Amino acid sequence: MWTSGRMSNAKNLFGLGVSLYFWGLMDLTTTVLSGSARPLTEGQEDNLSDKLHQRMKRSWVWNQFFVLEEYTGTDPLYVGKLHSDMDRGDGSIKYILSGEGAGIVFTIDDTTGDIHAIQRLDREERSQYTLRAQALDRRTGRPMEPESEFIIKIQDINDNEPKFLDGPYVASVPEMSPVGTSVIQVTATDADDPTYGNSARVVYSILQGQPYFSVDSRTGLIRTALMNMDREAKEYYEVIIQAKDMGGQLGGLAGTTTVNITLSDVNDNPPRFPQKHYQMSVLESAPISSTVGRVVAKDLDEGINAEMKYSLVDGDGLDVFDINTDPNYQVGIITVRKPLSFESKKSYTLKVEGANSHLEMRFLNLGPFRDTTTVHISVEDVDEPPVFEPSIYFVEVPEDVEIGTTIQIISAKDPDVTNNSVRYSIDRSSDPGRFFYVDITSGALMTARPLDREDISWHNITVLAMELNNPSQVGSVSVTVKVLDVNDNAPEFARFYEAFVCENAKAGQLIQTVSATDRDDPQEGQHFYYSLAPEAANNPNFTLRDNQDNTAWILTRRSGFRQHEQNTFYLPILISDNGRPVLSSTGTLTVHVCSCDEEGMVMSCNAEAYVLPVSLSRGALIAILACIFVLLVLVLLILSMRRQRKQPYIIDEEENIHENIVRYDDEGGGEEDTEAFDIAAMWNPREAQLVVKNRQDMLPEIESLSRYVPQACIMDNNVHNYVLAKLYEADMDLWAPPFDSLQTYMFEGNGSVAESLSSLQSVTTDSDQSYDYLTDWGPRFKKLAEMYGATDSSGALW
C-alpha cells in the first residue's frame, strides 16, 4: 500500500503545497505482492493469516499526516490518500478508518482511500489524532493487508493573542526610590505552538505610565524610571502593559493588562506645629490627671512614620503639668500633675516639643524631625472650701480626762483671696456617741462625755469647716483620737470559782488554783497580788499562797472536814493590781465538803439526812399543817385591814366638782407634750384618781441642762466645760424635765473685764451719771425717777 498526497485540480493550491511538502517527509516503503488482484481463495486466506501471525513485513508503512488548523473553507479539507498495491481500481478493495475522530472529525472514501476533515480543527484544543486504516475485500470482507496505525498532526497558525492570566495587577513601591527599583513582573501567555514559528514569541511594552515606570521587553519586569517620586504629591499610578506575539512584528496579535501601583510612605517629612503659641486655662480646683488642653503637630507622612512623641522641654510648670501622647490621634494631652492654687501662682508657660518616634537614616538630611511650640496656661480662681493645716490630726488623751477639756485646736482657713470666716462642726456620723464637741469659732476640740478605753480605745471623727458667707463650701479633716489607759478597773476573777474538799483531806492539800483578769492595759504589763480578805485573814480552814505569776493556790489548813458540821465554805480573796493608784476587789471562792473514796475521788457533796430518833405520827403532822394555815389567814386579814385604811377619800358624785380646786405639781411640756398629764382630771377628779395614766415624755432632741452645779465646774474659767458637764448629766438623768422646759443657771463664769453691768449698786457709789430723763418717760417710770432722779429737797432718799 502507499500513500498519495495528490489532489485534484478542484483542491486549493495551498492545500496542495502543504501535502506535497509533507509527502517528502514520509518514509514510504512499497512491496508489490505476487499474484493478480483477484479475491483470495480459502486456502490462500489461511496462508495469509499464517503469514500475518508470523510478523510478515507489511507491504505499506507511513508515519504521519499534517493538516493546518482553523480551515475556513466550505468543502471538507483534504488530508491525504490511502492506496494498496492490490487495488486495481475496480472497486474490489474497501478502505476503512478507525481510531480517534474517525467518522466524526475525519472520513475516508472507502473506494478511493481519500481522507478528509469534516470539522474545524483547533490545535489549542487538540494537537494530533491517532488513527488506524485497513483494506478489506469488498465481497468477502476479509482483510487484504494487516491493519496499520498512523497519526494526523494539526499544524499551528497564529490565531491566539497573548493573555495576562493574573491581571490586573496591584503593586507598591516606596516613595523616593532610586531609578531602576523593581516594582513587579507581569507575564503573558500565548496559546499558540512555541516550537513552530514566532506565533508564541511575546514582547512587552508600556502603553501608559511613562515617564514614571518602564518595562523589560523580554521579561515583563516593571521598574521605576523617575527619581524622587513623592507620595505626598501623587500616590496612585495606573500603568498599562502590552504583550505582542510574532516578536512584536507587524501583524502580530497583542494583549494588555493594567498594573495599579501605589507609592508607600517613608518618613521624609518632619512634623510641624500649625501654631507657635497656644493659650489655655484651667480651674485651680482641677483634680490630678485632669486634662488642661491638647496640642498637635502635623506630619504629612502616615502610619508609623507619622507617630509622634510629645514632651515638655522648658518652662516654669515642668513639675506642675505633664504631657501624654494619644496613640490614636497623635495629639499631645497636657494634664495636671500637682494641685493648683490661684493664690500662689496665676499662670504658667510651657515649651512643648513634638518629635517623630521612627526615623530613617537616609532621610535625616531632610530634618530635623522635631518641632516646638509655646503653651501659656492661666489658672482661674474658684471658691474653694476651707483648708485644714495640718491635713490630718492625731491626738492622745487619757481616758480619765474631765468633760470639757480641750484636747486639740483644729485650724482651718479659707484659701481664697477673700479669706472668709470659718465655722467648725463635727460630722455626727463619725461620732454617733457624741463624745466630743468642737467650738464653732475657735475650733477647740473638747470632750463632751467621759471616755473609756475599755469600751472604745480609738475614735476617728471628722471635723467640718464651713465658710460663713458660703455654706456650700465645706472642708473636712480626719482627727484620730487615741484613748490612753489609766488604772480605773480593779482586777477580778477570770471566772466563777467553785472547789471541793474531801472529808479525809489533809492539811496543806491544794484544792484550787485561781487567776484574775483586768480590763486595763498598763504599759509595764499586768501583775496581780492575792491575799485573803481582812475578815478571813485568820481563817482556820484554808490558806492562800501567791505564786507571783498572776495565780494563787488555795490550800487546806487543817484536816478532818465533816459534811454534817458544815458542807459549804465561802472564802473571800483580795486581788490587787500594780497600777497607780492600786485598785483591788474581793472575789469569793465557794468550797464544798464532799465525801470521797480512798483515792480521793468525789462520791457525794450533799449533806446526808440524819434519821430522827423518834418518828412523827400522823396526828402531829396534821397539827403542824393546821397551825400554818391559821397563820396564813391572819396575815391575809392584816393586809386587808391596812389597805382599807389607806384608801383615799372619794368625792361624792352629787357634789359640784367645778367648785373644787385640783392642784398638781407637774410642769407642762408645752404644745407638743400632749401626754404629760390627763386634762380630764380638771373635769372629773374622781376618774383621775381611779385611772392612773403613766407619763410618756418625748426624748428631747436637745437635752436640757439642770441640777446641781459641781464646785469643780464653777472654778473653771471655761463656760463650755460647765455646759458640757450639765449636758452629759442631763443625758444620763432619766428624770430630767421635758425638753422645752426653761432651765436657769446662776453661773456666769469667773468675772469679766467689763465688771458688773448692773446699775442697782450705783446708788452706793459716787457716780455722776444723771437720771433726770426718767421723769420724761411717763407715770410708769415715776418710781425710778424718784429713786434716781434729782429732787428739790436736799434730804436723804429714805
Side-chain angles (χ1 to χ4, degrees):
M1 179 179 284
W2 51 274
T3 61
S4 175
R6 295 175 297 172
M7 301 180 63
S8 64
N9 293 331
K11 307 298 179 180
N12 56 67
L13 294 178
F14 179 76
L16 177 60
V18 173
S19 298
L20 291 175
Y21 172 75
F22 286 103
W23 171 263
L25 299 178
M26 296 174 58
D27 181 12
L28 179 62
T29 303
T30 307
T31 302
V32 179
L33 302 177
S34 59
S36 60
R38 58 182 181 271
L40 298 176
T41 61
E42 183 177 356
Q44 291 177 335
E45 291 178 356
D46 295 338
N47 187 22
L48 178 60
S49 176
D50 295 337
K51 291 181 178 180
L52 290 177
H53 287 291
Q54 296 176 3
R55 299 179 60 88
M56 62 176 299
K57 185 177 179 180
R58 296 172 180 169
S59 59
W60 50 281
V61 178
W62 61 91
N63 292 329
Q64 56 188 1
F65 290 102
F66 290 86
V67 61
L68 292 176
E69 66 171 339
E70 302 292 348
Y71 172 71
T72 58
T74 58
D75 296 333
L77 176 63
Y78 180 74
V79 176
K81 184 179 180 64
L82 300 179
H83 183 73
S84 175
D85 293 341
M86 298 181 179
D87 188 358
R88 299 289 186 260
D90 55 0
S92 62
I93 300 299
K94 180 180 179 181
Y95 298 95
I96 61 174
L97 189 66
S98 63
E100 297 176 348
I104 300 176
V105 178
F106 301 99
T107 60
I108 188 171
D109 190 326
D110 60 353
T111 301
T112 62
D114 294 333
I115 300 175
H116 293 82
I118 60 177
Q119 288 189 4
R120 185 178 67 84
L121 301 177
D122 188 353
R123 190 199 67 84
E124 286 73 32
E125 294 181 359
R126 186 159 188 163
S127 60
Q128 67 180 18
Y129 294 88
T130 301
L131 299 170
R132 292 182 300 277
Q134 191 172 24
L136 302 177
D137 188 305
R138 188 181 295 275
R139 289 177 300 175
T140 63
R142 295 181 178 274
M144 301 296 294
E145 294 182 6
E147 186 181 55
S148 181
E149 184 178 88
F150 64 95
I151 298 174
I152 300 178
K153 285 192 175 181
I154 310 302
Q155 187 177 6
D156 182 50
I157 64 174
N158 190 19
D159 60 342
N160 291 280
E161 73 277 4
K163 294 181 180 181
F164 294 91
L165 302 180
D166 297 329
Y169 296 87
V170 178
S172 65
V173 62
E175 61 174 332
M176 310 299 289
S177 295
V179 175
T181 302
S182 298
V183 179
I184 191 174
Q185 184 175 11
V186 296
T187 302
T189 302
D190 197 321
D192 294 327
D193 188 1
T195 62
Y196 177 75
N198 294 327
S199 299
R201 182 185 174 189
V202 179
V203 175
Y204 299 94
S205 63
I206 184 169
L207 301 182
Q208 177 180 314
Q210 295 176 330
Y212 306 104
F213 301 94
S214 64
V215 64
D216 188 288
S217 61
R218 184 176 60 86
T219 62
L221 179 63
I222 301 175
R223 294 186 174 91
T224 57
L226 188 66
M227 63 182 304
N228 296 331
M229 286 192 293
D230 192 0
R231 184 195 66 85
E232 289 72 31
K234 185 177 181 180
E235 184 176 3
Y236 300 102
Y237 295 86
E238 185 178 74
V239 179
I240 298 178
I241 301 297
Q242 175 184 269
K244 190 173 183 180
D245 59 11
M246 299 297 294
Q249 298 177 4
L250 184 66
L253 302 179
T256 60
T257 187
T258 300
V259 182
N260 296 311
I261 301 176
T262 303
L263 295 183
S264 60
D265 185 59
V266 297
N267 192 9
D268 60 339
N269 293 278
R272 292 292 180 263
F273 284 100
Q275 58 188 86
K276 290 299 181 181
H277 297 279
Y278 288 86
Q279 185 67 40
M280 302 178 183
S281 62
V282 59
L283 297 177
E284 64 172 334
S285 60
I288 303 298
S289 300
S290 60
T291 301
V292 179
R294 291 174 171 81
V295 295
V296 58
K298 299 294 185 180
D299 194 328
L300 297 179
D301 297 322
E302 65 180 8
I304 191 176
N305 299 310
E307 290 184 0
M308 305 290 297
K309 181 179 181 181
Y310 297 91
S311 60
L312 302 178
V313 295
D314 197 6
D316 56 356
L318 298 180
D319 59 337
V320 180
F321 299 94
D322 200 358
I323 188 169
N324 300 306
T325 303
D326 187 343
N328 296 323
Y329 300 99
Q330 300 301 323
V331 298
I333 304 175
I334 300 176
T335 58
V336 178
R337 186 176 181 181
K338 289 184 177 180
L340 304 174
S341 176
F342 173 81
E343 293 73 24
S344 301
K345 191 173 179 60
K346 296 179 175 60
S347 64
Y348 296 88
T349 301
L350 300 174
K351 188 175 183 180
V352 180
E353 179 185 82
N356 283 138
S357 303
H358 305 276
L359 301 178
E360 295 191 26
M361 302 301 296
R362 60 192 181 103
F363 297 118
L364 291 180
N365 60 325
L366 302 178
F369 287 83
R370 64 184 66 245
D371 195 16
T372 59
T373 186
T374 303
V375 180
H376 298 281
I377 301 177
S378 300
V379 181
E380 297 183 358
D381 187 28
V382 297
D383 191 2
E384 298 176 282
V387 178
F388 287 88
E389 295 180 0
S391 60
I392 190 171
Y393 288 87
F394 177 75
V395 184
E396 293 183 343
V397 58
E399 61 177 324
D400 60 347
V401 65
E402 295 183 359
I403 296 177
T405 302
T406 299
I407 61 175
Q408 182 67 47
I409 300 297
I410 308 298
S411 177
K413 67 176 182 178
D414 184 7
D416 299 321
V417 178
T418 55
N419 194 17
N420 294 323
S421 299
V422 176
R423 295 293 181 262
Y424 301 92
S425 62
I426 294 179
D427 185 359
R428 284 307 171 191
S429 63
S430 65
D431 184 26
R434 297 179 180 267
F435 289 96
F436 301 95
Y437 168 81
V438 64
D439 187 82
I440 190 172
T441 56
S442 66
L445 183 63
M446 296 172 283
T447 56
R449 296 184 62 183
L451 302 179
D452 191 352
R453 188 203 65 85
E454 288 71 35
D455 290 339
I456 304 177
S457 58
W458 291 86
H459 296 269
N460 295 307
I461 63 176
T462 301
V463 177
L464 308 177
M466 178 186 65
E467 288 187 15
L468 184 60
N469 297 335
N470 188 2
S472 63
Q473 295 297 331
V474 180
S476 62
V477 68
S478 177
V479 181
T480 301
V481 181
K482 179 180 180 182
V483 182
L484 301 178
D485 183 56
V486 297
N487 192 25
D488 58 346
N489 291 279
E492 56 186 12
F493 276 149
R495 59 182 179 85
F496 174 74
Y497 287 103
E498 189 175 22
F500 69 91
V501 60
C502 294
E503 290 182 313
N504 56 357
K506 298 180 181 180
Q509 182 177 336
L510 174 65
I511 63 171
Q512 183 67 47
T513 300
V514 296
S515 62
T517 59
D518 194 333
R519 297 181 63 192
D520 295 324
D521 186 18
Q523 296 181 355
E524 60 275 11
Q526 298 279 8
H527 187 73
F528 304 124
Y529 303 94
Y530 299 89
S531 63
L532 294 179
E535 62 271 19
N538 298 320
N539 190 292
N541 302 310
F542 303 98
T543 184
L544 181 144
R545 179 187 298 174
D546 193 339
N547 298 323
Q548 300 300 319
D549 61 354
N550 292 339
T551 63
W553 287 353
I554 309 300
L555 307 172
T556 58
R557 178 169 294 199
R558 66 179 179 87
S559 60
F561 293 92
R562 295 294 180 265
Q563 278 187 330
H564 63 274
E565 294 178 0
Q566 185 175 352
N567 62 348
T568 303
F569 295 90
Y570 298 97
L571 184 64
I573 300 175
L574 181 65
I575 312 170
S576 303
D577 58 17
N578 61 334
R580 296 183 184 85
V582 176
L583 298 180
S584 62
S585 66
T586 301
T588 302
L589 172 64
T590 303
V591 182
H592 299 283
V593 179
C594 302
S595 58
C596 306
D597 57 13
E598 294 180 356
E599 297 179 357
M601 301 300 295
V602 177
M603 298 177 58
S604 174
C605 292
N606 296 323
E608 297 180 358
Y610 290 92
V611 181
L612 294 177
V614 180
S615 60
L616 296 177
S617 62
R618 183 177 300 177
L621 291 177
I622 295 176
I624 293 174
L625 293 177
C627 294
I628 294 174
F629 178 75
V630 172
L631 291 175
L632 289 177
V633 172
L634 292 176
V635 170
L636 294 176
L637 181 60
I638 294 172
L639 292 177
S640 176
M641 294 177 62
R642 294 183 61 182
R643 181 179 180 182
Q644 292 179 359
R645 286 200 302 267
K646 291 184 177 182
Q647 187 172 2
Y649 175 74
I650 300 178
I651 304 175
D652 192 355
E653 295 180 356
E654 297 179 357
E655 295 184 9
N656 187 1
I657 62 173
H658 297 282
E659 296 178 357
N660 297 330
I661 297 177
V662 178
R663 179 176 179 178
Y664 53 94
D665 295 328
D666 191 2
E667 184 177 354
E671 296 179 355
E672 298 181 5
D673 189 10
T674 59
E675 298 182 354
F677 59 93
D678 191 358
I679 197 172
M682 299 182 63
W683 301 98
N684 194 349
R686 180 181 303 168
E687 182 179 350
Q689 294 176 355
L690 294 178
V691 180
V692 179
K693 185 175 184 180
N694 295 329
R695 177 185 177 93
Q696 300 179 358
D697 288 338
M698 297 174 60
L699 291 177
E701 296 178 1
I702 303 176
E703 293 84 351
S704 61
L705 306 177
S706 65
R707 303 180 61 86
Y708 173 71
V709 180
Q711 187 66 21
C713 294
I714 297 178
M715 296 304 294
D716 195 340
N717 292 330
N718 193 346
V719 178
H720 282 293
N721 298 3
Y722 168 75
V723 175
L724 292 175
K726 302 314 297 177
L727 176 62
Y728 174 71
E729 185 179 353
D731 290 343
M732 298 295 103
D733 190 359
L734 300 178
W735 303 99
F739 63 91
D740 56 355
S741 299
L742 177 63
Q743 306 297 322
T744 304
Y745 301 104
M746 300 177 62
F747 175 65
E748 299 179 357
N750 290 337
S752 171
V753 294
E755 297 182 351
S756 177
L757 302 180
S758 175
S759 61
L760 296 179
Q761 298 177 358
S762 61
V763 67
T764 61
T765 63
D766 297 331
S767 176
D768 296 331
Q769 183 176 359
S770 176
Y771 297 98
D772 295 339
Y773 58 87
L774 295 175
T775 58
D776 301 330
W777 287 9
R780 295 185 177 181
F781 297 89
K782 181 178 179 181
K783 186 64 176 177
L784 288 177
E786 293 177 356
M787 295 175 61
Y788 294 94
T791 58
D792 295 338
S793 61
S794 59
L797 292 175
W798 50 67

